[in-house]
Structure formats: structure tokens, C-alpha cells
Amino acid sequence: MEFVGKCVFEGIAIGRIAVFDKGDNQVKRVRITDTAAEVKRFEDAKEAAKAQLAALYEKALAEVGEENAAIMEIHQMMLDDLDYVETITGMIESDEVNAEFAVHATGESFAEIFASMDDDYMKARSADVRDISSRVIAILSGKNAGGIDSDEPVILVADDLAPSETVQLDKSKILGFVTRHGSSNSHTAILARTMNIPALIGIDYPADCNGKMAIVDGAKGTFIIDPPMSVIDEYHRKFEEQEEQKKLLLELKDKEDVTIDGRSIHLYANVGGVGDVPAVLDGGATGIGLFRSEFLYLESSTYPSEEQQFEAYKAVAEMMGDKKVVIRTLDIGADKQVDYFDLAKEENPAMGYRAIRICLTRPDVFKTQLRALYRASAYGNISIMFPMIISESEVIRIKEICEEVKSELSSEGKEFKECEIGIMIETPAAVMLAEELGRHVDFFSVGTNDLTQYTLAIDRQNAALDNIYDSHHPALLKMLQMIVDGGHKSGCWVGICGELGADTTLTEEFLRMGFDELSVSPSMILKVRKTIRSIDLSK
């Protein structure tokens, strides 16, 4: 069976299908007679959950440092909490109910108790107790808590994936993504490209495909289920050719990003977390042009602390050494929803309460992040970038808050460096004010994904509009030239961190416009470098 969809990231994947299980939120109450056996089921599941958390702790320790890994240890301890365990076992024995229901009911009861407390730390435990309960229930139900029920790498199939779900997946277990819904311009699609994983959207796959052999052909946009051996053999040959091409590109790893006629440009990488940094270094990027800090929030069950953020920012700064690391402040809202922010439902969230608008109205959250960023600046070459800017007054207020944070850190005797300050240009308002805004900052970075949707009045999440979402639209290209001209006139360097930066059909045009920097997915670094080195601007 062959299905045709839209390509999000090219490449070939061959393997078995795993249908992503978001889990059944409804836990049914079942009467049981052998309470001793049911208590034993719970105890075995609890120990299995602790083993999972121990493994996750080691993984997080290696990828994001001890401070961020500590939550896994806290969850292990919570699973052994005497009140929690005795309440569950007591409910099983006295009410003769199944372990799943006892764990769910106890978890909800404890979560509500924590949530009602005045102490912020104890309130945060509400989400933790729900998390550990969900993990135990998943084990009792025979489901994998991470959504992938397989010990080997798989082609992950889902109706759709939220950014928070995508970012928590074990990348080592995923050969490719296939979704029924979604847009090629969504943040989940961007993550697939960052992860260098072949991905398709718009595939109306059959419900009974779990466990079947399949092929993802990103170039053709095809998904083949139960292919004959002759087709599998043919794609194995194509896969080997693909890997050979990657090896040839690796010869460009340490080459300069300079055109035939000698024009240099900075080629940086976009990343979603500390775990992506090795791919940046492997690809030979000369810096990080976009570190999406919001994924620290998406991965957390509560507001990440200053120390948690500091450890993450410090880790990436140290790993990159002297190379520039541009960290974007919190950019949630629209399709990146975080439950504990309690954001109200909006009719048009893409144009609503998001990004810098949240930060400027929640100074406690904003200052916590800025403190962590400035403290981490002492360990590397960090620049700070602010998203969704529409006015000079916003930039002036941001800089005032930065000064307040630096003053606080100085009075506390904490080390920090002066950081370059930049803004994202992703609204038509910012384009029109480029020269004025540039007087307040050190650099611009163009978010072409949002700038395209706001310029064309097209929701980038609406798959039905993909065919008219035109990132090559003449109006957008004119705006890009205006941004470069305005930025340079006011003394800023100007880059692109949106997906358009990796479009090699426009690389020469970007160079002729005068862009100083392009920041792309790590998987695209070498392809863009090859294109840059083939261009002669003197012609």
C-alpha cells in the first residue's frame, strides 16, 4: 500500500511502524477479588517506574546536566512516599478496586492537596504527583510512558504531534515521522527538521498498521506499508546512496563559509535544547543563531527554576566554547501551549497573548530567565534575543529590565558578562520600524515563518492553506531587503533564523541583499555551506 503526503524533511526511513499512543485519559474502575495479587501488580509497576526514571536520570545527566536531571530523582522518591503508597494499597484492599483506578484516584487527590497549598514549591508538586501516577498507570496498562512501545527504532505514526510531545520523544528510537494532520510550517515540523529525521504529513494511514514494515520516502512524499522484498531492497540501496552523499558533505565540515569571490557569511544553527548541540558541532556550524529556550518550559511540569535554566544555558555555552550562542527568550503561545501558564483560550492565538507579550506582563517569569541567561554568560559567548517585537517602547522596557537584572546580580556578587542584545523581526510593524529599532539593539534576526504568515495573512498551522503559503512571495522578499537596509543603517548585523534561511534556492539572493548571517537546522548546515561556496557574486 502506498500513500502520498507532503514532505517535511527529506530522507529515507525503513523500519516497523509504531503508532504513537497519547494514552487513554479515562481510567476505568474495575472490581477485583484477589486484592493481594492486585497490590503486587501495583508494587511491580512502581518498581518498573522507578527503573525507568533512573534510566531517564542518567540520560538527562549526560544531556542537560545535574540540575535539570534532578527532577527524575525527585520523582523516584515520590514513588516511595509512604502516604502515597499506603493510600493506594489501602484503596485496593478496602474498596476491592483495580490498581489503575487506585493510582489514578490517589494521584488526583494528592495533586489537588498540593495545588491548594500557599507555598509555591509545594504547589509545583501537584504536577509531579500526576506525572508519576501517569507513569505507573501506563506500566499497569501495558503502555510505554513515552508513547513508543518498542525496543528498536521505529517509524512513528500519529494523528498529529504537539511540540511538547515531539520534544520529549527518545530521538534514538525514531527513524521517521508520519502524521495524518499538521502543517509543513508548524513548530513540530520544524523540530523534525532540527532532529534530521525524514518526515511526512497529510498521510491518511490505515488504523491497523501498527507493527507493519514500512518505508518513508521524503523526496517523493510517499509512505509505503507492507512493501515487497524487491522494493525494500531497492530502498536499502537508495538509503546507502543517501548515506554516501552525507559522507561527501562531511568533507565540508571545517571549510569556511565564503563565496568564490571572497564574500564571507556566518553560518549558524537553530536548536531546541542542549541535546541538539552535538549535531551543531558535528555539522561544523560556526555558532548557534537560535536556541529555542521555550522547550525548557515545554519539557517541564512546572516553571523551570533559575538554577535549572542556568545549568542548561551554561551547558550549551560551555559546549560551544568561544562560538556565539544566540538564546531567544521564552516564546510560548499559539501552537506552543504550556498548561501551567494557565493561558486563556483565544480565537486567534497566533496574533494573541504570546512571546514577549507574556514576558512583559509576567516580570517574575521574565526576570528569572534573564537572571539565568546573564549568569550563564560568564561561561561562554551568549547573546540574548527577544521575539515578537512591534515597537520601540517594548525594546526600551526590555532593556530597562535587563539593567535591573544586572544590577541585582552585581549586588549579589554573581558573575556575568555584557551580552549582545537582539530582536526578532517577524512582524510587518518591526519591518517598517527597522531603522528606528536598530538604534536600540546590536542585531536583528528575521523569523521568516511568522513574518510570512503575518504578511500574507495566512495561518501557518492551517494545512489547507499550505499551497498558498508562499515564502518566496515578492512582498516578503522586499521586506527582507528593507530589514537589511534598516539594520545596517543603524549599525546592526542582520541574520535570518527562520526556515527560509535553509532554502538554497534563495541563498545567493540573501547574500546579494547583504545578510550577515544565516541560521539553519543542524542537518542543513553542510548543504547551505556547499551552496555558499559555489556562488560567485562578482558575476
Side-chain angles (χ1 to χ4, degrees):
M1 293 182 288
E2 183 171 316
F3 301 85
V4 179
K6 295 176 182 176
C7 172
V8 168
F9 188 75
E10 291 187 3
I12 292 168
I14 305 167
R16 296 203 175 275
I17 295 170
V19 177
F20 182 71
D21 185 4
K22 292 177 182 275
D24 184 356
N25 292 326
Q26 186 176 7
V27 177
K28 295 179 181 178
R29 178 174 182 146
V30 179
R31 185 176 182 279
I32 51 98
T33 54
D34 191 345
T35 57
E38 200 66 9
V39 168
K40 179 68 164 56
R41 277 186 72 228
F42 160 66
E43 289 174 344
D44 289 346
K46 177 172 75 74
E47 291 306 312
K50 286 168 61 182
Q52 284 182 1
L53 288 164
L56 285 171
Y57 172 80
E58 294 301 327
K59 181 176 183 290
L61 191 65
E63 291 183 359
V64 295
E66 186 174 356
E67 189 73 29
N68 291 291
I71 189 64
M72 306 302 173
E73 285 190 317
I74 293 171
H75 282 196
Q76 289 178 70
M77 289 187 287
M78 290 178 76
L79 279 167
D80 280 329
D81 178 79
L82 198 58
D83 287 341
Y84 179 75
V85 172
E86 288 183 348
T87 302
I88 292 168
T89 56
M91 186 177 290
I92 292 171
E93 291 168 344
S94 61
D95 296 351
E96 297 183 339
V97 295
N98 54 316
E100 291 91 336
F101 182 81
V103 173
H104 174 71
T106 301
E108 286 302 304
S109 175
F110 276 50
E112 287 176 11
I113 292 170
F114 282 124
S116 65
M117 293 181 178
D118 293 330
D119 184 79
D120 287 341
Y121 177 84
M122 298 308 292
K123 278 184 177 180
R125 303 287 72 78
S126 175
D128 291 329
V129 76
R130 283 195 172 99
D131 197 345
I132 63 168
S133 300
S134 295
R135 184 174 293 277
V136 174
I137 292 167
I139 293 167
L140 286 166
S141 306
K143 297 174 182 176
N144 185 296
I148 306 176
D149 190 14
S150 175
D151 293 327
E152 63 183 30
V154 295
I155 295 171
L156 192 67
V157 169
D159 273 353
D160 199 2
L161 288 166
S164 56
E165 292 168 334
T166 309
V167 79
Q168 293 182 62
L169 294 170
D170 184 347
K171 300 170 193 175
S172 67
K173 284 190 173 184
I174 304 171
L175 300 170
F177 282 126
V178 175
T179 65
R180 183 173 278 125
H181 306 296
S183 161
S184 57
N185 303 298
S186 69
H187 283 282
T188 299
I190 293 168
L191 278 171
R193 290 190 277 269
T194 299
M195 293 160 68
N196 197 16
I197 293 173
L200 303 174
I201 60 171
I203 299 287
D204 192 18
Y205 58 85
D208 61 349
C209 64
N210 196 55
K212 293 183 178 179
M213 198 68 185
I215 295 168
V216 173
D217 185 336
K220 291 183 177 179
T222 56
F223 183 45
I224 308 169
I225 300 176
D226 270 342
M229 279 308 301
S230 59
V231 174
I232 292 175
D233 289 342
E234 177 190 349
Y235 270 95
H236 272 300
R237 285 192 294 273
K238 288 183 178 180
F239 182 80
E240 288 170 7
E241 290 172 6
Q242 171 186 286
E243 294 304 297
E244 192 60 36
Q245 287 299 313
K246 287 181 181 178
K247 288 179 184 177
L248 291 173
L249 279 175
L250 280 174
E251 294 177 8
L252 293 170
K253 178 180 174 180
D254 298 317
K255 301 292 186 182
E256 292 183 343
D257 299 303
V258 59
T259 61
I260 291 171
D261 58 309
R263 163 77 194 284
S264 294
I265 189 167
H266 294 292
L267 185 55
Y268 295 164
N270 299 333
V271 300
V274 181
D276 295 328
V277 176
V280 175
L281 298 171
D282 289 344
T286 53
I288 291 175
L290 172 62
F291 181 99
R292 300 181 178 95
S293 69
E294 58 269 19
F295 290 105
L296 292 172
Y297 296 78
L298 287 165
E299 291 172 333
S300 179
S301 57
T302 188
Y303 295 100
S305 68
E306 179 183 326
E307 288 302 316
Q308 286 176 302
Q309 294 189 63
F310 165 67
E311 289 293 339
Y313 305 144
K314 175 188 172 187
V316 70
E318 289 181 328
M319 290 169 76
M320 292 300 292
D322 293 332
K323 294 180 178 179
K324 187 183 292 293
V325 178
V326 179
I327 300 179
R328 179 176 69 188
T329 57
L330 176 62
D331 184 10
I332 64 164
D335 68 328
K336 291 178 287 187
Q337 293 294 316
V338 181
D339 290 343
Y340 55 85
F341 270 77
D342 293 324
L343 301 179
K345 181 176 173 56
E346 296 178 290
E347 290 300 318
N348 194 349
M351 300 178 75
Y353 186 52
R354 57 175 295 197
I356 201 65
R357 298 166 184 177
I358 293 175
C359 290
L360 289 177
T361 53
R362 298 195 182 183
D364 53 334
V365 174
F366 195 27
K367 277 192 169 184
T368 296
Q369 180 171 36
L370 288 173
R371 284 176 59 89
L373 284 166
Y374 273 108
R375 286 175 59 199
S377 70
Y379 298 87
N381 183 10
I382 287 178
S383 298
I384 305 174
M385 178 165 69
F386 303 93
M388 282 294 291
I389 299 299
I390 62 169
S391 69
E392 285 186 85
S393 61
E394 286 174 329
V395 181
I396 291 167
R397 181 59 189 138
I398 287 166
K399 293 181 73 176
E400 287 173 350
I401 296 172
C402 287
E403 290 303 317
E404 291 170 13
V405 165
K406 288 189 289 184
S407 178
E408 289 172 7
L409 293 174
S410 293
S411 65
E412 295 167 16
K414 290 186 168 66
E415 289 186 39
F416 65 90
K417 291 179 185 175
E418 290 297 333
C419 299
E420 274 192 332
I421 296 295
I423 59 172
M424 291 193 69
I425 305 294
E426 49 195 333
T427 65
V431 175
M432 302 309 293
L433 292 174
E435 186 178 340
E436 290 85 350
L437 291 169
R439 296 175 190 143
H440 300 281
V441 297
D442 301 300
F443 68 94
F444 292 158
S445 191
V446 185
T448 54
N449 311 328
D450 272 331
L451 184 58
T452 303
Q453 81 164 339
Y454 296 136
T455 301
L456 303 183
I458 291 175
D459 181 1
R460 59 191 270 209
Q461 303 299 321
N462 190 336
L465 300 176
D466 272 0
N467 62 326
I468 58 171
Y469 180 96
D470 181 10
S471 55
H472 290 213
H473 195 287
L476 182 69
L477 297 179
K478 281 187 176 182
M479 283 186 166
L480 294 178
Q481 186 66 69
M482 290 171 66
I483 295 165
V484 174
D485 293 344
H488 285 173
K489 192 170 182 179
S490 56
C492 291
W493 63 263
V494 185
I496 294 177
C497 67
E499 292 294 291
L500 198 61
D503 187 337
T504 52
T505 66
L506 288 173
T507 303
E508 181 171 345
E509 189 160 356
F510 293 151
L511 289 169
R512 292 189 183 278
M513 286 180 179
F515 277 99
D516 305 291
E517 176 251 12
L518 297 175
S519 190
V520 302
S521 297
S523 59
M524 290 298 295
I525 290 288
L526 297 179
K527 289 181 182 177
V528 176
R529 176 167 293 152
K530 182 180 180 182
T531 302
I532 290 170
R533 293 174 62 85
S534 70
I535 293 169
D536 187 348
L537 296 172
S538 65
K539 293 182 178 179

